[in-house]
């Protein structure tokens, strides 16, 4: 498709389902010179359920300013259907901060894709509770900040992190960050913190999932990317995958195979977040992938 | 979703891409009391490409007759955008004829799903070039007809089959039918004959694909469901899948594993065809699954 | 491979790991005219761990009787290495009883494979707590027995089932049998009852796993075949698989997709059991597949 | 498993199949104080076929020198069974040279795994026909050499490469090296050059496989790792994988998804080669993975 990032925009909508929504939205956009290039919708129940919509559209012939478009959409369509909506312009790259501990595989996967131009984001900052990965991060031209984090210093550490991220990050990725963040921290980035957990949740929440998988003798191991909420490993699931294992695999083998899965699953989840493909619906997600 | 087959309808559209199509279609339907429950679209290229659309909608509050809806859609929308379009009503179950030789796995998979109510079709007839499967077919309450087919009798056999199917079948499934049909036969059911081929096409077209796979030492075997055209094993691909194999697998093992894949791949392809999810675009398919 | 069922035998061994086991076993068999066609081994830890071995061998040139072979193996090799071992001859087809409730998909999958000659078993009996499936089962030439089962009648029902199976069944398959069997019943068939559970255990044990999966918004659903122990859904896992789902799938869709997975996973587990490929090791399995 | 690289060795055997081979091999090793930790075997046909064996064993209690073990094995066992065999000691890390053009994803995947200690190899040299990747390679502490390669300079370029590799490389990986090597070059490294091809061979050999896949409308794209022979894209297949695609994917999307697969497939193939898990059998491979 010959779409251009400079002229691509996306509309996400959640509202009560009722007839006429798509007609109203697409007619509004058509009348302002917009060309729709992707449209996905979902209804939890056509009578009395919730309606979800994602539209990707091209704006080279937009007949009003972006600001006017936003204002007019809210006035003409949003209010009428009681919508929760937003329009993002692809030219405004989202800013992604990364939190990491010592395992570097998930972090490096994101940095490599970023360096290759595969991930349309800016990366203002990587924060770690260990100093080890400074060189690896700075080699990509990305700033690194070490903020120690222990049970006693949690509050101070989180304050320092919030200050470091403030005004710089639109969303945060936990690329194997091994500290549990407080509900207080999390609420600053509701539905904007993505975590990669190394099991197919809800199996094996909490610590050491590969040891648990080994002990249970499961024949599949998994990885799960999800939005972080105040409840540990309970947030809305974005993406999951599994790989076959057998009695021949040691715990170290599970970890090695798991790393490959974590990298792939997290990369997909981040890509979908950045392309505005995810709508959070309570403890679940609608992913228009 | 609380949709009812009795009131469900589907619109499929192919037309030159240009702005305003979705707005026109959805506004037309909205004004006639229709509630859209699924909408998928695809554009091969937003400037000058082809546009494809699938809409599923509910008609309990339709304000005109079905016939009037069809006529009005053509007059008001279809002509304006130069559309190739059709509307099917789910209550009118499509009639599926099956052609089969001696292998029964693909045939039985379809009959079982039909018997269980998983496949919304009627099955007026199973035709075979062997008499062997009569009892198995009739046990499902489905008529069986044996029509012999050899190189010398091909023309007569095809005439007999066309007569048997005429007015009874909306589409035809080749559930491991091991005779090659003439271009003449095929053109009676353009984009309406589904074949299951036992390899991941375009690898291993023609006969004995498992022997070929074994000889090549591939690490994956596959199955492909496609629409039949006059060129053998070249028609538009609907669905494919693969399974891992190794040096431990004999040709018989490949056939056994392959049968499971053929059953699943064919069942998915038939389901999508029946639910009006497939649009043929030259030698390719758009599948809104 | 040109192996013949009539002359194929399999040896399964569990014993403390120490040097010399494979040498002793293979030298013993070689000296009695046996040709080894498959050999798989596993050690939980080469120093002080457990050793597992599966040998498939051909006996056309066996120089002693089967009985003498068994006796000699025990005397010469088994005792020396403190082995838990058994030798099965493929000509002695294992007898598989099936317990089922109302869902027929897992039952039919096994009966179809049996009818096609894909499963080398005899099926002496299908028992159900509902009368519904009598005709379907008897159509395959397999005896069917209805034994009602409720909370009040559990003890009597289990006694009746044990009596029906006694001397007739080598192992039992629960093909979606929806009653929980007592520990008392289970211990009659230790490591010889295979259950198919409709989730990727240990996620979603107990009832209604598809509803739970839907509620959690997981992106994968699964199926698990395991040996039954006194603890519900906790027995050693034999095989698992998963399928991708999304927000578009209703609970009914999950059930439909799940049925296909249950059929495949159970069929694989039963095949491996019948081919003597599984050794139970505490709450885990070694599967030489 | 508590095996140590320093004391781990592996035996690979190909010979005519006949009774007594495993007994002779394992008894020989047992008598020299060796502990077998893995054993895999395969027979193309028990009567008159070829026999393949891989043994992994531990040598802390070896009662003779390594040299004496090799000599004695050849004299006592190898000659008797007419074996093609080799024993490798894991402590002697194989030396892997990499050839690459401009695409860096396959190269970087190998370098990252090497840097992380996941790949037990030494990397003496990366050679490229473009200067672009020098900095990326040298950043891993690996020497980089630019050797230009065009149709006219092919002979000189290959001579320069052979000189650069001579005495330094045990095997060569083509990590998206876009030049076709002559049969003359290839025969210096028979069964020791691994290539990653970006399709599921034998479909789409030669150039531009993603364009071909797009044109054919396949629903799966693939990647294949294989040993290089004089015939382009025809060498023995080591590993393959596929990923689902649809009408929504542009050629660029196929390339992006393909890159992820190529990285994974090549990494698995290299790992198996390095762990002596692959035996080439004519135009096929036996992979004891």
């Amino acid at each position: 498709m010959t779409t251009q990032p400079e002229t691509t925009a996306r509309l996400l909508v959640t509202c009560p389902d009722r007839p006429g929504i798509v007609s109203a939205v697409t007619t509004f956009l058509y009348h302002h010179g917009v060309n729709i290039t992707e449209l996905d919708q979902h209804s939890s129940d056509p009578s009395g359920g919730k309606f979800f919509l994602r539209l990707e559209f091209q704006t080279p012939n937009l007949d009003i300013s972006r600001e006017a478009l936003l204002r007019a959409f809210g006035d003409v369509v949003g209010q009428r259907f009681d919508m929760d909506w937003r329009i993002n312009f692809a030219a405004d790259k989202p800013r992604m901060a990364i939190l990491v501990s010592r395992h570097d595989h998930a972090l490096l996967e994101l940095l490599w894709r970023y360096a290759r131009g595969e991930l349309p984001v800016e990366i203002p900052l990587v924060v770690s509770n260990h100093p080890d990965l400074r060189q690896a991060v700075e080699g990509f031209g990305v700033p690194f900040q070490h903020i120690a984090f222990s049970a006693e210093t949690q509050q101070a550490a989180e304050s320092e992190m919030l200050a470091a991220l403030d005004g710089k990050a639109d969303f945060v990725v936990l690329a194997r960050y091994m500290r549990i963040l407080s509900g207080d921290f999390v609420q600053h980035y509701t539905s904007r913190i993505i975590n990669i957990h190394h099991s197919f949740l809800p199996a094996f929440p909490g610590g050491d999932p590969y040891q648990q998988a080994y002990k249970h003798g499961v024949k599949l191991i998994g990885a799960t990317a999800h939005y972080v909420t105040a409840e540990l490993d309970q947030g809305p699931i974005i993406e999951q995958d599994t790989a076959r294992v057998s009695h021949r695999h040691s715990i170290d083998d599970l970890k090695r195979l798991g790393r490959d899965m974590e990298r792939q699953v997290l990369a997909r989840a981040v890509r979908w977040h950045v392309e505005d493909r995810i709508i959070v619906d309570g403890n679940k997600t609608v992913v228009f992938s």
Side-chain angles (χ1 to χ4, degrees), chain A:
Chain A
M1 232 187 283
T2 56
T3 60
Q4 300 299 328
E6 305 80 54
T7 58
T8 297
R10 299 166 198 129
L11 164 68
L12 291 184
V13 168
T14 306
C15 67
D17 198 4
R18 58 182 247 213
I21 303 172
V22 176
S23 167
V25 170
T26 57
T27 302
F28 170 88
L29 290 174
Y30 174 56
H31 286 157
H32 288 290
V34 155
N35 193 10
I36 296 168
T37 42
E38 286 188 36
L39 188 161
D40 274 293
Q41 65 163 68
H42 175 63
S43 175
S44 64
D45 185 341
S47 10
K50 249 191 259 187
F51 179 81
F52 305 90
L53 178 69
R54 179 186 185 269
L55 267 169
E56 191 164 303
F57 55 93
Q58 309 302 320
T59 59
N61 305 315
L62 187 62
D63 67 350
I64 49 177
S65 72
R66 290 181 174 190
E67 295 65 35
L69 181 81
L70 296 178
R71 207 164 44 236
F73 185 84
D75 291 349
V76 176
V77 184
Q79 286 184 17
R80 176 174 160 210
F81 291 95
D82 198 13
M83 287 180 175
D84 185 4
W85 65 276
R86 66 172 197 268
I87 292 177
N88 289 336
F89 297 92
D92 306 333
K93 285 192 191 173
R95 298 163 303 167
M96 169 176 81
I98 304 175
L99 270 56
V100 68
S101 293
R102 270 192 176 116
H103 290 294
D104 65 354
H105 56 282
L107 168 73
L108 289 178
E109 184 72 26
L110 295 178
L111 291 175
W112 302 325
R113 289 181 189 259
Y114 162 72
R116 233 180 252 154
E118 262 194 34
L119 262 189
V121 294
E122 289 173 13
I123 306 185
L125 188 60
V126 172
V127 172
S128 178
N129 57 328
H130 294 286
D132 315 29
L133 297 173
R134 175 179 300 276
Q135 204 184 343
V137 171
E138 292 180 349
F140 284 89
V142 170
F144 177 91
Q145 188 168 344
H146 171 220
I147 299 179
F149 190 121
S150 66
E152 305 81 54
T153 65
Q154 169 154 13
Q155 211 173 345
E158 292 193 346
S159 296
E160 195 178 345
M161 289 200 284
L162 286 173
L165 301 175
D166 189 42
K168 283 204 212 150
D170 296 309
F171 72 107
V172 178
V173 175
L174 309 187
R176 298 297 301 273
Y177 186 70
M178 307 308 277
R179 294 289 157 186
I180 299 170
L181 296 167
S182 71
D184 203 47
F185 183 97
V186 169
Q187 75 171 6
H188 282 83
Y189 290 93
T190 302
S191 300
R192 292 188 296 147
I193 306 179
I194 298 175
N195 183 46
I196 179 70
H197 183 82
H198 36 318
S199 86
F200 49 96
L201 290 172
F204 313 134
D208 288 342
Y210 291 125
Q211 280 89 332
Q212 290 186 64
Y214 183 82
K215 226 185 85 194
H216 271 78
V218 293
K219 303 300 185 186
L220 298 171
I221 56 168
T224 303
H226 65 95
Y227 286 114
V228 175
T229 59
E231 289 166 278
L232 182 65
D233 297 336
Q234 299 284 315
I237 293 172
I238 302 169
E239 170 64 342
Q240 304 188 282
D241 213 341
T242 52
R244 302 194 76 81
V245 295
S246 79
H247 61 275
R248 297 194 189 282
H249 293 90
S250 65
I251 293 181
D252 279 349
D253 291 331
L254 301 190
K255 287 180 180 171
R256 177 173 53 80
L257 292 169
R259 280 197 294 268
D260 289 348
M261 240 186 326
E262 295 166 35
R263 290 159 62 189
Q264 300 278 337
V265 167
L266 179 60
R268 287 202 290 270
V270 168
R271 183 178 183 84
W272 293 337
H273 179 90
V274 164
E275 294 182 345
D276 300 306
R277 296 187 178 280
I278 315 175
I279 302 179
V280 172
D281 174 29
N283 72 327
K284 300 166 71 166
T285 59
V286 171
V287 179
F288 291 121
S289 66

